[in-house]
Amino acid sequence: MSDLEDTPEGLSDNGPSTPKKTRQIRNELYKHEKQKHRKQKYRKEWENKIEFKGWLKEEKSDCFRARCSKCQVSFLSELTSIKNHCKSIGHKNAVKSTPIGSQSFLTTFTSNKISSIDQQVQKAEIKLSGFLAEHNISFLSIDHLEPLLKDIFPDSKICQKIKLKRTKATNIIKNVFAPIAKDILTKKLNNTKFSVMIDESTDIACTSTMCIVVRFFDTDIGKISTQFWDLLPVYNCEDFDQVNAGATAENIFLNVINSFQKNYVNIKNIIGFGSDGCSTMMGKSNSVSSRMKEMFPGSLLCVAFAILCICVVVSKRQSQLIEFQQFLNIDVHKILHPSQTRWLSLAGVVDRLLEQWDALKLFFTNKWLSDKLLSTESIYNQLTDPFTRGYFYFLQWILPKFSTLNQYFQTENVVLNTLHSKMEITYKDILLTYMHRDYVLKTPLADLDPMCKSQIKNQSEIYFGVKIMSYITMDCIKIRPDLLKDFYSKCVDFLQVSCVQIKKRYNFSDSILPLLNILTPSVALSVEKRSEYNANESITCLTLKLPRIVNDSSLQTIDDQWRLLSLVALSDNIINEKETDKFWVLLKNLESGQFYELAMFALSVMSLPHSNASCERIFSKINRVKTKSRNKLITNTVSSTIMASECIKKNENCCYNFQPWKEMFDSMTSSNLYPKKTEAVDEIDDFDLDLEN
């Protein structure tokens, strides 16, 4: 490109020979260009400044913007904007709410550059141990991995100095990862309200264990967080009286309380409890929940929601079925097998059977004629019976209603504020299919009897879905009115039992759950919708029912901020926010801080549990850690492995980009890794050592 092309069109930069008028135009253009604001890219070194350390991060999607990890807001990556945010009241409150010493997982990384070879070796050993925990790899494998790496990288001083076998790797997980992660979580729980969820199960080694999960508002990440706390044996195997008594409510309750107290967690911060619906956990008397109510008056209880549906047995001769699928020009899909524990799969099983119905009927016709087996004949008779197909059409219509409801309870998102309305709508929707409308809509749901025979509709008025309505008009159905009557009776029985189970698991007379909808953004910002809950625009209708969350001294402050909320002009990003927890986080982080106490109250309420699905997910992880070939892992090691795995995965990290924290390097000492040098290794993570060879 020539010099002329660098100047405005028609202008040249030839010094004194340039005409005066031309030079004036050129100077004006250059002056205008100079006045334009140049965007500043984010600079990594800003994070090391004392006033920005621990919260300033780069916005991943835009290199010209910075982000505050405390307030979860972004702004221009300019020192003026950053300093203005640092001085805002909202930011100061967010920093103040984070306890001293309780840094986030991102800010606890060691900021000093690891220079010495010994520290680099320690880092390698920590990350290799974390790799084993994250991917559920046998600790015995490190016995071969370490010499393998030394052979592959003979020129690496770090690799050659690594000394890591299964005992040390296990101890790094148990004595470095787990204690530090739990210490950070402990400090968070001591400075916020939290809920406890528990569940028990028996693993592959027939060891009864109890999983404890906590749910709270995490100020470090700016959202409601559900985290693994502990995994404990239900009873001490050395205590024969305890073993004979079994998993009693008293044992479980004491184990839960002791788990928090031995880690110096303030149990007064417990505001909710969640579990499954068994009598040991949720019985009216002499249960874990009754003891929770007694020790923590005013705490809310949540029963895990689940509906059991019927299972269908199908043939496993998948390969032979393909020829009949191809003959009928049907998609070649496998017949799904219903899981006894994963009841959400039942809807997919029914859909697949109906899709492959004609191919299955042709397949079993051929089998019956060729093999003459009684089992084959029984299946053939079922497939050729038109009413059997009718039952599957009924299941295809009703099962998605239960699946949708169950998925709603399984989510990790905040749904507590809309929980009651969701349950109410689903319950009424099912009742109205077979019961009279006036009875369902005019009777309080808590008093309504799903089994009331006098309120069941006539057969012609009952609704079982569009496919059933069309299917019962076929001649093969019409000619058997007796069987059609029996078909309707069995389907109504199914719906009645389902509604009884819903009513058993959900308390429609609860006075608090309906009020939680007042915290929904659209309701909180609307004067008209507020009036449905309290005529004088006060939030005391809810705060007075939650004494474990609200202190008497803060009642008036919260109520004043609630009344002010509908009067203040808020930014569009707050008004348009639909997710409840994000809405209250934005209000909490306002620079003025005028809704801070109200927002913290709402976020504490959102920390209450709506199911114990999180515990079930932890047990799924346990089953992946403690397998048939690793059945001798003791409970403490399994618990530490899960804690280490979640620690590494925090903030979307993984084994290769996780950076060990300073506390981890400080813990890499012989006295900490091997607290009892005379103690022999008391476990092997494989059933047979030969399995590894």
Side-chain angles (χ1 to χ4, degrees):
M1 181 179 289
S2 65
D3 293 337
L4 288 175
E5 290 178 309
D6 289 333
T7 60
E9 185 178 356
L11 301 179
S12 61
D13 195 6
N14 296 324
S17 62
T18 305
K20 182 178 180 181
K21 188 175 182 179
T22 302
R23 288 199 305 270
Q24 289 177 347
I25 295 174
R26 182 194 62 190
N27 291 336
E28 287 295 326
L29 288 173
Y30 284 175
K31 183 179 180 182
H32 178 70
E33 289 293 328
K34 186 177 181 180
Q35 289 176 348
K36 280 188 176 181
H37 182 72
R38 183 177 65 85
K39 284 187 175 182
Q40 171 66 54
K41 282 190 176 182
Y42 183 84
R43 299 178 65 180
K44 199 74 175 176
E45 54 265 30
W46 289 341
E47 296 178 11
N48 296 326
K49 289 181 175 289
I50 297 176
E51 62 269 33
F52 304 151
K53 198 170 184 178
W55 58 267
L56 183 63
K57 304 293 173 186
E58 182 181 3
E59 184 68 58
K60 293 182 179 179
S61 59
D62 190 349
C63 64
F64 295 103
R65 296 187 70 81
R67 184 171 185 82
C68 175
S69 62
K70 299 288 185 184
C71 304
Q72 298 299 311
V73 296
S74 64
F75 34 79
L76 291 175
S77 60
E78 298 176 353
L79 282 176
T80 303
S81 300
I82 297 172
K83 289 179 179 179
N84 288 338
H85 175 77
C86 185
K87 296 175 183 178
S88 67
I89 297 176
H91 177 78
K92 290 178 180 178
N93 288 333
V95 174
K96 190 186 300 182
S97 63
T98 303
I100 299 174
S102 175
Q103 301 295 327
S104 68
F105 284 91
L106 283 174
T107 58
T108 49
F109 296 160
T110 176
S111 58
N112 299 326
K113 186 176 180 181
I114 301 175
S115 55
S116 70
I117 189 70
D118 291 336
Q119 284 184 314
Q120 291 176 335
V121 171
Q122 287 180 348
K123 178 182 177 181
E125 292 175 346
I126 292 172
K127 298 192 72 168
L128 283 172
S129 301
F131 168 76
L132 299 180
E134 181 185 353
H135 298 284
N136 300 324
I137 298 174
S138 165
F139 295 126
L140 278 172
S141 62
I142 200 68
D143 289 353
H144 286 192
L145 181 60
E146 183 221 32
L148 175 65
L149 293 175
K150 289 181 177 180
D151 181 66
I152 295 174
F153 307 110
D155 56 339
S156 171
K157 294 181 180 179
I158 298 173
C159 188
Q160 296 302 316
K161 293 196 69 174
I162 290 176
K163 294 181 180 180
L164 187 65
K165 301 296 183 183
R166 65 182 178 90
T167 302
K168 187 175 183 180
T170 305
N171 287 347
I172 289 175
I173 297 297
K174 294 168 63 175
N175 301 329
V176 177
F177 270 99
I180 294 174
K182 180 161 284 190
D183 183 57
I184 291 176
L185 183 54
T186 296
K187 290 173 182 176
K188 291 180 179 180
L189 297 182
N190 278 329
N191 288 273
T192 188
K193 304 292 185 180
F194 65 93
S195 297
V196 179
M197 292 168 281
I198 66 173
D199 198 5
E200 57 176 313
S201 181
T202 303
D203 59 29
I204 192 71
C206 298
T207 303
S208 295
T209 53
M210 176 176 59
C211 171
I212 305 176
V213 174
V214 292
R215 184 175 173 87
F216 61 98
F217 174 68
D218 192 339
T219 55
D220 288 339
I221 59 177
K223 65 178 183 180
I224 305 297
S225 176
T226 304
Q227 295 185 27
F228 169 74
W229 169 255
D230 209 349
L231 183 71
L232 304 169
V234 174
Y235 41 74
N236 184 3
C237 295
E238 297 178 359
D239 188 340
F240 296 107
D241 293 334
Q242 206 178 83
V243 173
N244 293 330
T248 63
E250 184 177 5
N251 284 341
I252 294 173
F253 175 75
L254 291 176
N255 283 340
V256 173
I257 299 302
N258 290 337
S259 175
F260 289 108
Q261 288 183 332
K262 73 180 182 181
N263 288 282
Y264 304 102
V265 174
N266 185 4
I267 59 175
K268 292 182 180 180
N269 286 341
I270 296 177
I271 58 174
F273 171 72
S275 181
D276 58 20
C278 67
S279 58
T280 303
M281 294 292 185
M282 287 292 177
K284 291 184 179 179
S285 59
N286 195 27
S287 64
V288 178
S289 62
S290 65
R291 286 171 168 80
M292 281 285 183
K293 282 184 177 180
E294 184 179 352
M295 178 171 278
F296 310 110
S299 59
L300 291 187
L301 307 180
C302 168
V303 184
F305 183 83
I307 294 179
L308 299 179
C309 302
I310 64 171
C311 294
V312 185
V313 179
V314 297
S315 171
K316 295 182 179 179
R317 299 178 181 270
Q318 305 278 2
S319 57
Q320 297 178 10
L321 179 63
I322 294 177
E323 117 181 57
F324 296 95
Q325 292 171 325
Q326 293 174 341
F327 176 75
L328 294 173
N329 198 25
I330 298 175
D331 292 337
V332 179
H333 291 155
K334 289 184 177 181
I335 304 301
L336 303 177
H337 181 72
S339 171
Q340 297 292 333
T341 55
R342 298 183 180 275
W343 20 260
L344 288 177
S345 65
L346 290 174
V349 171
V350 172
D351 289 339
R352 183 59 55 84
L353 281 172
L354 287 172
E355 176 194 87
Q356 302 292 329
W357 193 273
D358 293 333
L360 287 168
K361 186 164 68 173
L362 193 61
F363 170 79
F364 281 103
T365 301
N366 177 67
K367 282 293 178 183
W368 174 54
L369 294 175
S370 60
D371 296 346
K372 300 296 183 181
L373 296 174
L374 290 176
S375 58
T376 309
E377 181 181 3
S378 175
I379 297 175
Y380 165 78
N381 291 333
Q382 291 292 326
L383 289 170
T384 54
D385 183 355
F387 286 95
T388 301
R389 194 166 189 170
Y391 285 118
F392 276 91
Y393 281 138
F394 167 75
L395 290 175
Q396 189 182 41
W397 163 72
I398 192 64
L399 287 182
K401 296 181 184 294
F402 298 135
S403 298
T404 302
L405 193 60
N406 279 312
Q407 287 174 339
Y408 190 80
F409 274 81
Q410 285 192 25
T411 180
E412 293 286 351
N413 298 329
V414 173
V415 296
L416 200 64
N417 55 307
T418 56
L419 186 66
H420 183 78
S421 60
K422 180 71 174 179
M423 287 298 304
E424 193 176 56
I425 291 171
T426 304
Y427 189 48
K428 287 181 178 179
D429 180 35
I430 298 173
L431 288 170
L432 287 171
T433 61
Y434 71 94
M435 301 192 83
H436 293 298
R437 176 171 289 271
D438 288 344
Y439 177 67
V440 174
L441 299 183
K442 294 181 180 180
T443 307
L445 292 183
D447 301 332
L448 194 146
D449 181 13
M451 304 296 289
C452 184
K453 294 182 179 180
S454 62
Q455 296 298 332
I456 296 178
K457 296 177 180 178
N458 297 325
Q459 181 174 307
S460 59
E461 299 174 329
I462 294 175
Y463 180 79
F464 288 153
V466 175
K467 285 189 177 180
I468 293 293
M469 293 172 62
S470 175
Y471 190 69
I472 60 176
T473 61
M474 296 177 62
D475 294 337
C476 59
I477 300 293
K478 285 183 176 181
I479 60 175
R480 296 301 305 270
D482 56 331
L483 293 180
L484 181 60
K485 183 179 180 180
D486 185 60
F487 169 80
Y488 269 85
S489 177
K490 289 181 178 178
C491 290
V492 168
D493 288 343
F494 180 93
L495 295 176
Q496 285 180 313
V497 172
S498 299
C499 289
V500 168
Q501 293 297 317
I502 291 176
K503 189 176 180 181
K504 181 180 178 181
R505 287 164 168 77
Y506 185 82
N507 183 12
F508 286 100
S509 62
D510 190 284
S511 60
I512 297 178
L513 288 172
L515 290 174
L516 297 183
N517 191 46
I518 200 173
L519 298 176
T520 303
S522 59
V523 178
L525 296 174
S526 171
V527 177
E528 293 77 13
K529 292 181 179 179
R530 283 181 176 195
S531 61
E532 298 176 9
Y533 300 90
N534 198 310
N536 57 10
E537 292 189 47
S538 172
I539 200 175
T540 52
C541 58
L542 179 60
T543 54
L544 292 176
K545 292 182 179 293
L546 300 170
R548 295 200 64 80
I549 298 179
V550 186
N551 296 323
D552 292 339
S553 59
S554 59
L555 277 172
Q556 188 60 58
T557 302
I558 293 174
D559 213 45
D560 289 342
Q561 293 180 4
W562 173 257
R563 294 173 62 84
L564 186 65
L565 181 59
S566 61
L567 303 176
V568 175
L570 300 171
S571 59
D572 290 341
N573 66 318
I574 297 179
I575 296 174
N576 297 327
E577 182 57 62
K578 303 299 181 185
E579 295 186 36
T580 305
D581 54 336
K582 292 183 179 179
F583 169 80
W584 290 108
V585 168
L586 290 173
L587 281 179
K588 180 183 79 73
N589 295 332
L590 283 176
E591 293 185 1
S592 61
Q594 55 186 335
F595 300 114
Y596 183 79
E597 287 78 11
L598 173 63
M600 288 304 298
F601 162 73
L603 291 168
S604 295
V605 174
M606 294 299 107
S607 301
L608 294 169
H610 57 270
S611 76
N612 71 333
S614 300
C615 296
E616 298 292 348
R617 292 189 180 97
I618 295 297
F619 276 122
S620 296
K621 293 181 181 179
I622 292 171
N623 293 333
R624 292 194 294 270
V625 173
K626 194 169 183 177
T627 59
K628 288 183 179 180
S629 61
R630 306 179 76 189
N631 62 37
K632 290 189 178 181
L633 282 176
I634 61 176
T635 304
N636 184 28
T637 304
V638 177
S639 177
S640 300
T641 302
I642 295 172
M643 182 71 78
S645 176
E646 292 202 343
C647 170
I648 291 172
K649 294 178 181 178
K650 200 71 177 177
N651 296 310
E652 300 180 355
N653 284 326
C654 60
C655 55
Y656 58 81
N657 60 14
F658 170 77
Q659 296 300 322
W661 317 327
K662 182 180 182 300
E663 294 86 348
M664 290 184 172
F665 291 102
D666 296 339
S667 299
M668 291 290 288
T669 61
S670 298
S671 59
N672 184 62
L673 289 176
Y674 311 101
K676 295 181 181 179
K677 295 184 178 180
T678 59
E679 182 181 357
V681 178
D682 59 354
E683 60 181 321
I684 300 176
D685 66 345
D686 294 87
F687 181 78
D688 188 344
L689 294 181
D690 291 335
L691 292 174
E692 290 293 318
N693 297 329

